[in-house]
Amino acid sequence: MKYPAILALCLLSACDALPRDPADTSARIAERKVFTVGLFEAGLAQDREVKALIALLQRRTGARASWQQGSGEALLQQLDDGRLDLALGRFRKNSPWKTEVAFGPPLRPAGAGDDPIELKAAMRNGENRWIMTVESASRAIARGAGK
């Protein structure tokens, strides 16, 4: 009778580690107090939703954003390689990168059609704790609650 209780306690104690970041993105951000953000366009740093998202992520993580600019392909490759924590830009809903990186929800409504261009964040695939943090903040901004 006592073995199921021990098993339940072991399983419950493991829940704190979920979701996991296999490459430890969230832990690294917490330790170094900085996360790297790549911008597809220079003007995005002044975009209202982008500024609100970064401010909310800084509050939630206790880290500051370190900015860099680059071309889309290069930034997404850096993201995939783990040299960048977040990329912000306008992406098509059916972007060919959708299997290579994790896209957050759109920060603001996009154009009409089957393949709209949406302003959103991209994160490294598999870094689930970090992805959840960014997705939660993105949803708050999209609803207007994070401002």
Side-chain angles (χ1 to χ4, degrees):
M1 275 293 195
K2 65 181 175 180
Y3 293 115
I6 292 171
L7 178 62
L9 284 173
C10 288
L11 291 173
L12 188 59
S13 67
C15 288
D16 184 48
L18 296 174
R20 290 195 176 108
D21 285 349
D24 294 323
T25 299
S26 295
R28 180 182 40 76
I29 290 169
E31 179 183 313
R32 295 182 184 164
K33 302 290 186 208
V34 67
F35 58 95
T36 55
V37 181
L39 297 174
F40 279 50
E41 307 162 30
L44 281 181
Q46 301 308 313
D47 182 272
R48 185 179 69 223
E49 284 84 5
V50 168
K51 286 168 54 174
L53 175 64
I54 296 303
L56 184 55
L57 286 172
Q58 289 179 139
R59 283 194 306 274
R60 289 184 177 182
T61 64
R64 68 173 174 77
S66 172
W67 301 86
Q68 69 180 64
Q69 194 174 329
S71 69
E73 197 76 20
L75 288 177
L76 290 175
Q77 188 60 57
Q78 288 177 39
L79 189 67
D80 191 44
D81 293 343
R83 293 180 283 138
L84 193 64
D85 299 313
L86 189 65
L88 293 163
R90 290 177 175 85
F91 301 95
R92 291 198 176 278
K93 190 173 187 174
N94 292 320
S95 168
W97 278 89
K98 70 182 179 182
T99 59
E100 303 298 321
V101 299
F103 286 114
L107 295 173
R108 91 172 140 249
D114 293 339
D115 195 19
I117 296 176
E118 302 170 324
L119 175 61
K120 56 187 167 184
M123 293 81 54
R124 185 177 188 191
N125 258 346
E127 296 302 285
N128 296 326
R129 186 172 286 205
W130 175 241
I131 291 168
M132 286 181 62
T133 299
V134 176
E135 284 182 348
S136 171
S138 294
R139 283 188 191 92
I141 299 307
R143 286 192 316 267
K147 298 174 184 167

